[in-house]
Coordinates of all heavy atoms in Angstrom, one line a residue:
V204 N -1.2 -8.8 12.9 CA -2.0 -7.7 12.3 C -1.4 -7.5 10.9 O -0.1 -7.3 10.7 CB -1.9 -6.5 13.1 CG1 -2.5 -5.3 12.4 CG2 -2.6 -6.7 14.5
Y205 N -2.2 -7.5 9.9 CA -1.8 -7.3 8.6 C -2.5 -6.0 8.1 O -3.7 -5.6 8.5 CB -2.1 -8.4 7.6 CG -1.3 -9.6 7.7 CD1 -1.9 -10.8 8.3 CD2 0.0 -9.7 7.6 CE1 -1.2 -11.9 8.6 CE2 0.8 -10.8 7.8 CZ 0.1 -12.0 8.3 OH 0.9 -13.1 8.5
I206 N -1.8 -5.3 7.1 CA -2.3 -4.2 6.3 C -2.5 -4.5 4.9 O -1.4 -4.9 4.4 CB -1.5 -2.9 6.6 CG1 -1.4 -2.6 8.0 CG2 -2.2 -1.7 5.8 CD1 -0.2 -3.3 8.7
A207 N -3.6 -4.5 4.3 CA -3.7 -4.9 2.9 C -3.9 -3.6 2.1 O -4.9 -2.8 2.4 CB -4.7 -5.8 2.6
L208 N -3.2 -3.3 1.0 CA -3.4 -2.1 0.2 C -3.8 -2.7 -1.2 O -3.0 -3.4 -1.8 CB -2.1 -1.4 0.2 CG -1.5 -1.1 1.5 CD1 0.0 -1.0 1.5 CD2 -2.1 0.1 2.1
L209 N -5.0 -2.3 -1.6 CA -5.5 -2.8 -2.9 C -5.1 -1.8 -4.0 O -5.0 -0.5 -3.7 CB -7.1 -2.8 -2.9 CG -7.7 -4.0 -2.2 CD1 -7.2 -4.1 -0.7 CD2 -9.1 -3.9 -2.2
R210 N -4.8 -2.4 -5.1 CA -4.4 -1.6 -6.3 C -5.6 -1.2 -7.1 O -6.4 -2.0 -7.4 CB -3.4 -2.5 -7.1 CG -2.8 -1.7 -8.3 CD -1.8 -2.7 -9.0 NE -1.3 -2.0 -10.2 CZ -1.8 -2.2 -11.3 NH1 -2.9 -3.0 -11.5 NH2 -1.3 -1.6 -12.4
A211 N -5.6 0.0 -7.5 CA -6.5 0.5 -8.5 C -8.0 0.3 -8.2 O -8.9 0.0 -8.9 CB -6.3 -0.2 -9.9
V212 N -8.3 0.5 -6.9 CA -9.8 0.6 -6.4 C -10.3 1.9 -6.0 O -9.6 2.6 -5.2 CB -9.7 -0.5 -5.1 CG1 -11.1 -0.3 -4.6 CG2 -9.4 -1.9 -5.6
N213 N -11.3 2.4 -6.5 CA -11.9 3.5 -6.1 C -11.1 4.7 -6.6 O -11.2 5.7 -6.1 CB -12.3 3.7 -4.7 CG -13.3 2.6 -4.4 OD1 -14.0 2.2 -5.2 ND2 -13.3 2.4 -3.0
V214 N -10.2 4.5 -7.6 CA -9.4 5.6 -8.2 C -9.4 5.6 -9.8 O -8.6 6.0 -10.4 CB -7.9 5.5 -7.7 CG1 -7.9 5.9 -6.2 CG2 -7.3 4.2 -8.0
G215 N -10.6 5.1 -10.2 CA -10.7 5.1 -11.7 C -10.0 3.8 -12.3 O -9.9 3.7 -13.5
G216 N -9.6 2.9 -11.6 CA -8.9 1.8 -12.2 C -9.7 0.6 -12.3 O -10.7 0.5 -12.9
T217 N -9.4 -0.5 -11.4 CA -10.1 -1.7 -11.5 C -11.6 -1.6 -11.4 O -12.5 -2.2 -12.0 CB -9.5 -2.7 -10.6 OG1 -8.1 -2.9 -11.0 CG2 -10.2 -4.1 -10.7
G218 N -12.0 -0.8 -10.4 CA -13.4 -0.6 -10.2 C -13.7 0.0 -8.7 O -12.8 0.2 -7.9
S219 N -15.0 0.0 -8.6 CA -15.4 0.6 -7.3 C -15.8 -0.5 -6.4 O -16.4 -1.5 -6.8 CB -16.8 1.5 -7.6 OG -17.3 2.0 -6.4
L220 N -15.3 -0.2 -5.1 CA -15.6 -1.2 -4.2 C -15.9 -0.5 -2.8 O -14.9 0.1 -2.2 CB -14.4 -2.2 -3.9 CG -14.6 -3.2 -2.8 CD1 -15.5 -4.2 -3.2 CD2 -13.2 -3.9 -2.6
P221 N -17.1 -0.5 -2.3 CA -17.4 0.1 -1.0 C -16.6 -0.5 0.0 O -16.4 -1.7 0.0 CB -18.9 -0.1 -0.9 CG -19.5 -0.2 -2.2 CD -18.3 -0.9 -3.0
M222 N -16.1 0.3 0.8 CA -15.3 -0.2 2.0 C -16.0 -1.1 2.9 O -15.5 -2.1 3.4 CB -14.7 0.9 2.9 CG -13.6 1.6 2.0 SD -12.2 0.7 1.3 CE -12.7 0.5 -0.4
A223 N -17.5 -1.1 3.0 CA -18.2 -2.1 3.8 C -18.2 -3.4 3.1 O -18.2 -4.4 3.9 CB -19.8 -1.5 3.9
E224 N -18.2 -3.5 1.8 CA -18.1 -4.7 1.1 C -16.6 -5.3 1.3 O -16.6 -6.5 1.5 CB -18.3 -4.5 -0.4 CG -19.7 -4.3 -0.8 CD -19.9 -4.3 -2.2 OE1 -19.3 -4.9 -3.0 OE2 -20.9 -3.5 -2.7
L225 N -15.6 -4.5 1.1 CA -14.3 -5.0 1.5 C -14.2 -5.5 2.9 O -13.6 -6.7 3.0 CB -13.3 -3.8 1.3 CG -11.9 -4.2 1.6 CD1 -11.2 -5.3 0.8 CD2 -10.9 -2.9 1.5
K226 N -14.8 -4.8 3.8 CA -14.7 -5.5 5.2 C -15.4 -6.8 5.3 O -15.0 -7.7 5.9 CB -15.4 -4.4 6.2 CG -15.4 -4.9 7.6 CD -16.0 -3.8 8.5 CE -15.9 -4.3 9.9 NZ -16.6 -3.6 11.0
A227 N -16.6 -6.8 4.6 CA -17.4 -8.2 4.6 C -16.6 -9.3 4.0 O -16.6 -10.4 4.4 CB -18.8 -7.9 3.9
I228 N -16.0 -8.9 2.8 CA -15.2 -10.0 2.1 C -14.1 -10.5 3.0 O -13.8 -11.6 3.2 CB -14.6 -9.4 0.9 CG1 -15.5 -9.2 -0.2 CG2 -13.4 -10.3 0.2 CD1 -15.2 -8.3 -1.4
C229 N -13.3 -9.5 3.8 CA -12.3 -10.1 4.7 C -12.9 -10.9 5.8 O -12.3 -11.9 6.2 CB -11.6 -8.8 5.2 SG -10.6 -7.9 4.0
E230 N -14.1 -10.4 6.4 CA -14.6 -11.3 7.4 C -15.1 -12.6 7.0 O -14.9 -13.5 7.6 CB -15.8 -10.6 8.0 CG -15.4 -9.3 8.8 CD -16.4 -8.3 9.2 OE1 -17.5 -8.4 8.8 OE2 -16.2 -7.5 10.3
D231 N -15.6 -12.7 5.7 CA -15.9 -13.9 5.2 C -14.7 -15.0 4.9 O -14.9 -16.0 4.9 CB -16.5 -13.8 3.7 CG -18.0 -13.2 3.9 OD1 -18.6 -13.2 5.0 OD2 -18.5 -12.7 2.8
L232 N -13.6 -14.3 4.8 CA -12.3 -15.0 4.7 C -11.8 -15.5 6.0 O -10.8 -16.3 6.1 CB -11.3 -14.3 3.9 CG -11.5 -14.0 2.4 CD1 -10.5 -13.0 1.9 CD2 -11.3 -15.3 1.6
G233 N -12.5 -15.2 7.0 CA -12.0 -15.6 8.5 C -11.2 -14.5 9.1 O -10.6 -14.8 10.2
F234 N -10.9 -13.4 8.4 CA -10.0 -12.4 9.1 C -10.8 -11.8 10.3 O -12.1 -11.6 10.2 CB -9.5 -11.4 8.2 CG -8.9 -11.9 6.8 CD1 -8.9 -11.1 5.8 CD2 -8.3 -13.2 6.8 CE1 -8.2 -11.6 4.6 CE2 -7.6 -13.7 5.8 CZ -7.6 -12.8 4.6
S235 N -10.2 -11.4 11.3 CA -10.8 -10.7 12.4 C -10.4 -9.3 12.7 O -9.4 -9.0 12.1 CB -10.7 -11.6 13.8 OG -9.3 -11.7 14.0
D236 N -11.3 -8.6 13.5 CA -10.8 -7.2 13.8 C -10.6 -6.3 12.6 O -9.8 -5.5 12.5 CB -9.7 -7.1 14.8 CG -9.9 -7.8 16.1 OD1 -11.0 -7.7 16.5 OD2 -8.8 -8.3 16.6
V237 N -11.4 -6.4 11.6 CA -11.4 -5.9 10.3 C -11.7 -4.4 10.4 O -12.7 -4.0 11.0 CB -12.1 -6.5 9.2 CG1 -11.9 -5.9 7.9 CG2 -11.9 -8.0 9.1
K238 N -10.7 -3.5 9.9 CA -11.0 -2.1 9.9 C -10.6 -1.6 8.5 O -9.5 -1.9 8.0 CB -10.2 -1.3 10.9 CG -10.6 -1.8 12.4 CD -9.7 -1.0 13.3 CE -10.1 -1.4 14.8 NZ -11.1 -2.3 15.2
T239 N -11.4 -0.6 7.9 CA -10.9 -0.1 6.6 C -10.5 1.4 6.9 O -10.9 2.0 7.9 CB -12.1 -0.1 5.7 OG1 -13.1 0.7 6.1 CG2 -12.6 -1.4 5.2
Y240 N -9.7 2.0 6.1 CA -9.4 3.4 6.2 C -9.5 4.1 4.8 O -9.0 3.6 3.8 CB -7.9 3.4 6.7 CG -7.5 5.0 6.8 CD1 -8.1 5.8 7.8 CD2 -6.4 5.4 6.0 CE1 -7.6 7.1 7.9 CE2 -6.1 6.7 6.1 CZ -6.8 7.6 7.0 OH -6.2 8.8 7.1
I241 N -10.2 5.1 4.8 CA -10.5 5.9 3.6 C -11.1 5.1 2.5 O -10.9 3.8 2.5 CB -9.4 6.9 3.2 CG1 -8.2 6.3 2.9 CG2 -9.2 8.0 4.4 CD1 -7.2 7.4 2.4
Q242 N -11.5 5.7 1.4 CA -12.0 4.9 0.2 C -11.0 4.4 -0.8 O -11.6 4.2 -1.9 CB -13.1 5.8 -0.4 CG -14.4 6.1 0.4 CD -15.2 4.9 0.6 OE1 -15.3 4.4 1.7 NE2 -15.6 4.2 -0.4
S243 N -9.9 4.2 -0.5 CA -8.9 3.9 -1.5 C -8.3 2.5 -1.3 O -7.3 2.2 -1.9 CB -7.8 4.9 -1.6 OG -7.0 5.0 -0.4
G244 N -9.1 1.6 -0.7 CA -8.6 0.3 -0.5 C -7.5 0.0 0.5 O -6.6 -0.6 0.2
N245 N -7.8 0.4 1.6 CA -6.8 0.2 2.8 C -7.6 -0.6 3.7 O -8.7 -0.2 4.2 CB -6.3 1.4 3.3 CG -5.7 2.4 2.4 OD1 -4.7 1.9 1.7 ND2 -6.3 3.5 2.3
V246 N -7.2 -1.8 4.2 CA -7.9 -2.6 5.2 C -6.8 -3.2 6.1 O -5.8 -3.7 5.6 CB -8.8 -3.6 4.5 CG1 -8.0 -4.7 3.7 CG2 -9.7 -4.3 5.6
L247 N -7.2 -3.2 7.4 CA -6.3 -3.9 8.5 C -7.1 -5.0 9.1 O -8.4 -4.8 9.2 CB -6.0 -2.9 9.5 CG -5.2 -1.6 9.2 CD1 -6.2 -0.4 8.8 CD2 -4.3 -1.2 10.3
F248 N -6.4 -6.0 9.5 CA -7.2 -7.1 10.2 C -6.2 -8.1 10.7 O -5.0 -8.0 10.6 CB -7.9 -7.9 9.1 CG -7.2 -8.2 7.8 CD1 -6.3 -9.4 7.8 CD2 -7.1 -7.5 6.7 CE1 -5.5 -9.8 6.7 CE2 -6.4 -7.8 5.5 CZ -5.6 -9.0 5.6
R249 N -6.7 -9.1 11.4 CA -5.8 -10.1 12.0 C -6.0 -11.3 11.1 O -7.3 -11.7 10.8 CB -6.2 -10.4 13.4 CG -5.8 -9.3 14.5 CD -6.4 -9.7 15.8 NE -6.2 -8.7 16.8 CZ -5.0 -8.5 17.4 NH1 -4.0 -9.2 17.1 NH2 -4.9 -7.4 18.3
A250 N -5.1 -12.2 11.0 CA -5.1 -13.4 10.3 C -4.2 -14.4 10.9 O -3.0 -14.0 11.2 CB -5.1 -13.3 8.8
D251 N -4.4 -15.6 11.0 CA -3.6 -16.7 11.4 C -2.9 -17.4 10.2 O -2.9 -18.7 10.3 CB -4.4 -17.5 12.4 CG -3.4 -18.2 13.5 OD1 -2.2 -17.8 13.5 OD2 -3.9 -19.2 14.1
E252 N -2.5 -16.7 9.3 CA -1.9 -17.2 8.3 C -0.6 -16.4 7.8 O -0.5 -15.3 8.2 CB -2.8 -17.3 6.9 CG -4.0 -18.0 7.1 CD -5.1 -17.8 6.0 OE1 -4.6 -18.0 4.8 OE2 -6.2 -17.3 6.2
A253 N 0.2 -16.9 6.8 CA 1.4 -16.3 6.5 C 1.0 -15.1 5.5 O -0.1 -15.2 4.8 CB 2.3 -17.2 5.7
E254 N 1.8 -14.2 5.4 CA 1.5 -12.9 4.6 C 1.1 -13.3 3.2 O 0.1 -12.8 2.6 CB 2.7 -12.1 4.7 CG 2.5 -10.7 4.0 CD 3.8 -9.8 4.0 OE1 4.1 -9.5 5.3 OE2 4.5 -9.6 3.0
K255 N 1.8 -14.1 2.5 CA 1.6 -14.3 1.1 C 0.2 -15.2 1.0 O -0.4 -14.9 0.0 CB 2.7 -15.3 0.6 CG 3.8 -14.5 -0.1 CD 3.5 -13.7 -1.2 CE 4.5 -12.8 -1.9 NZ 3.9 -11.6 -2.6
A256 N -0.1 -16.0 1.9 CA -1.3 -16.7 1.8 C -2.6 -15.7 2.0 O -3.6 -15.8 1.1 CB -1.4 -17.7 2.8
V257 N -2.4 -14.8 2.8 CA -3.4 -13.8 3.2 C -3.6 -13.0 1.8 O -4.7 -12.7 1.3 CB -3.0 -12.9 4.3 CG1 -3.9 -11.6 4.3 CG2 -3.2 -13.7 5.6
E258 N -2.5 -12.5 1.3 CA -2.5 -11.7 0.0 C -3.2 -12.5 -1.0 O -4.1 -11.9 -1.7 CB -1.0 -11.4 -0.4 CG -0.8 -10.5 -1.3 CD 0.6 -10.1 -1.6 OE1 1.3 -10.7 -2.3 OE2 1.1 -9.3 -0.9
E259 N -2.8 -13.7 -1.4 CA -3.4 -14.4 -2.3 C -4.9 -14.7 -2.3 O -5.7 -14.6 -3.2 CB -2.7 -15.9 -2.5 CG -3.1 -16.7 -3.6 CD -2.8 -16.1 -5.0 OE1 -1.9 -15.4 -5.2 OE2 -3.5 -16.5 -5.9
R260 N -5.3 -15.1 -1.0 CA -6.7 -15.3 -0.7 C -7.5 -14.1 -0.8 O -8.6 -14.2 -1.5 CB -6.9 -16.0 0.6 CG -6.4 -17.5 0.8 CD -6.6 -18.0 2.2 NE -8.0 -18.0 2.4 CZ -8.6 -17.6 3.8 NH1 -7.8 -17.2 4.7 NH2 -9.9 -17.6 3.9
L261 N -7.2 -13.0 -0.4 CA -7.9 -11.7 -0.6 C -7.9 -11.3 -2.0 O -9.0 -11.0 -2.6 CB -7.2 -10.6 0.3 CG -7.9 -9.3 0.3 CD1 -9.4 -9.5 0.7 CD2 -7.2 -8.4 1.3
D262 N -6.9 -11.4 -2.7 CA -6.9 -10.9 -4.1 C -7.8 -11.9 -5.0 O -8.5 -11.4 -5.7 CB -5.4 -11.1 -4.8 CG -5.2 -10.1 -6.0 OD1 -5.9 -9.2 -6.0 OD2 -4.3 -10.5 -6.7
D263 N -7.7 -13.0 -4.6 CA -8.6 -14.1 -5.3 C -10.2 -13.8 -5.1 O -11.0 -13.8 -6.0 CB -8.3 -15.5 -4.9 CG -9.1 -16.6 -5.7 OD1 -9.1 -16.6 -6.9 OD2 -9.7 -17.4 -5.1
A264 N -10.3 -13.5 -3.7 CA -11.9 -13.2 -3.4 C -12.2 -11.9 -4.1 O -13.4 -11.8 -4.5 CB -12.0 -13.1 -1.9
L265 N -11.4 -11.0 -4.1 CA -11.8 -9.6 -4.7 C -11.9 -9.8 -6.3 O -12.8 -9.2 -6.9 CB -10.7 -8.7 -4.4 CG -10.6 -8.1 -3.0 CD1 -9.3 -7.4 -2.7 CD2 -11.9 -7.4 -2.7
G266 N -11.1 -10.6 -6.8 CA -11.2 -11.0 -8.3 C -12.5 -11.5 -8.5 O -13.1 -11.2 -9.6
K267 N -13.1 -12.4 -7.7 CA -14.3 -13.1 -7.9 C -15.5 -12.1 -7.8 O -16.5 -12.1 -8.5 CB -14.6 -14.3 -7.0 CG -13.7 -15.4 -7.4 CD -13.8 -16.5 -6.3 CE -13.0 -17.7 -6.8 NZ -12.7 -18.5 -5.5
K268 N -15.4 -11.2 -7.0 CA -16.3 -10.0 -6.6 C -16.2 -9.0 -7.8 O -17.4 -8.6 -8.3 CB -16.1 -9.4 -5.3 CG -16.8 -8.1 -5.1 CD -18.3 -8.4 -4.7 CE -19.0 -7.2 -4.4 NZ -20.4 -7.3 -4.4
M269 N -15.1 -8.6 -8.2 CA -15.0 -7.5 -9.2 C -14.8 -8.0 -10.7 O -14.7 -7.2 -11.5 CB -13.8 -6.6 -8.7 CG -13.9 -6.1 -7.2 SD -12.5 -5.3 -6.7 CE -12.6 -3.7 -7.5
G270 N -14.6 -9.3 -10.9 CA -14.4 -9.6 -12.3 C -13.1 -9.7 -12.7 O -12.7 -10.2 -13.7
K271 N -12.2 -9.0 -11.8 CA -10.7 -9.0 -12.2 C -9.9 -8.8 -10.9 O -10.4 -7.9 -10.1 CB -10.5 -7.9 -13.1 CG -9.0 -7.6 -13.5 CD -8.7 -6.5 -14.4 CE -7.3 -6.3 -14.7 NZ -7.0 -5.0 -15.4
R272 N -8.9 -9.5 -10.7 CA -8.0 -9.4 -9.5 C -7.4 -8.0 -9.5 O -6.7 -7.7 -10.4 CB -7.0 -10.5 -9.3 CG -7.6 -11.9 -9.2 CD -6.5 -12.9 -9.5 NE -5.6 -13.0 -8.5 CZ -5.2 -13.9 -7.6 NH1 -5.7 -15.1 -7.9 NH2 -4.3 -13.8 -6.7
P273 N -7.6 -7.1 -8.4 CA -7.1 -5.8 -8.4 C -5.6 -5.8 -8.2 O -5.0 -4.8 -8.6 CB -7.9 -5.1 -7.3 CG -8.3 -6.2 -6.5 CD -8.3 -7.5 -7.3
G274 N -5.1 -6.8 -7.4 CA -3.7 -6.6 -7.0 C -3.8 -6.3 -5.6 O -4.3 -5.2 -5.2
V275 N -3.2 -7.0 -4.6 CA -3.2 -6.8 -3.2 C -1.8 -6.8 -2.7 O -1.1 -7.7 -3.0 CB -4.1 -7.8 -2.4 CG1 -4.1 -7.6 -0.9 CG2 -5.6 -7.7 -3.0
M276 N -1.3 -5.8 -2.0 CA 0.0 -5.8 -1.4 C -0.2 -5.9 0.1 O -0.9 -5.0 0.7 CB 0.8 -4.6 -1.7 CG 0.9 -4.1 -3.0 SD 1.0 -5.2 -4.4 CE 0.0 -4.4 -5.6
V277 N 0.3 -6.8 0.8 CA 0.1 -6.9 2.3 C 1.5 -6.7 2.9 O 2.5 -7.3 2.6 CB -0.5 -8.4 2.6 CG1 -0.5 -8.7 4.1 CG2 -1.8 -8.6 1.9
R278 N 1.4 -5.9 4.0 CA 2.5 -5.8 4.9 C 2.0 -6.1 6.3 O 0.9 -5.8 6.7 CB 2.9 -4.3 4.8 CG 3.4 -4.0 3.3 CD 4.6 -4.7 2.9 NE 5.0 -4.3 1.6 CZ 4.8 -4.7 0.4 NH1 3.8 -5.7 0.3 NH2 5.2 -4.2 -0.7
N279 N 3.0 -6.3 7.2 CA 2.8 -6.5 8.6 C 3.0 -5.2 9.4 O 3.5 -4.2 8.7 CB 3.4 -7.7 9.3 CG 4.9 -7.6 9.3 OD1 5.4 -6.5 9.7 ND2 5.5 -8.6 9.0
R280 N 2.7 -5.2 10.6 CA 2.7 -3.9 11.4 C 4.2 -3.4 11.5 O 4.5 -2.2 11.2 CB 2.2 -4.0 12.7 CG 2.4 -2.8 13.6 CD 2.7 -3.0 15.1 NE 3.0 -1.8 15.7 CZ 3.0 -1.6 17.0 NH1 2.4 -2.7 17.8 NH2 3.5 -0.6 17.6
K281 N 5.2 -4.3 11.6 CA 6.5 -3.9 11.8 C 7.1 -3.5 10.4 O 7.8 -2.4 10.3 CB 7.5 -5.1 12.1 CG 7.3 -5.4 13.7 CD 8.3 -6.5 14.0 CE 8.2 -6.8 15.4 NZ 9.1 -7.9 15.9

Side-chain angles (χ1 to χ4, degrees):
V204 171
Y205 291 112
I206 304 89
L208 307 154
L209 282 56
R210 183 175 176 273
V212 171
N213 297 339
V214 290
T217 302
S219 178
L220 179 68
M222 294 300 97
E224 285 185 38
L225 175 58
K226 182 178 183 189
I228 289 168
C229 289
E230 289 170 343
D231 288 346
L232 290 171
F234 305 156
S235 60
D236 297 327
V237 180
K238 296 178 182 358
T239 61
Y240 178 66
I241 63 176
Q242 288 294 119
S243 58
N245 305 300
V246 61
L247 300 92
F248 51 83
R249 292 177 183 279
D251 204 13
E252 300 173 56
E254 184 179 295
K255 272 295 179 202
V257 166
E258 192 174 88
E259 184 64 28
R260 287 183 61 222
L261 181 54
D262 202 24
D263 185 55
L265 290 166
K267 288 176 181 158
K268 170 73 177 165
M269 301 171 77
K271 179 182 177 187
R272 293 168 69 127
V275 176
M276 309 327 136
V277 173
R278 302 297 187 264
N279 64 43
R280 177 213 171 160
K281 282 185 178 179

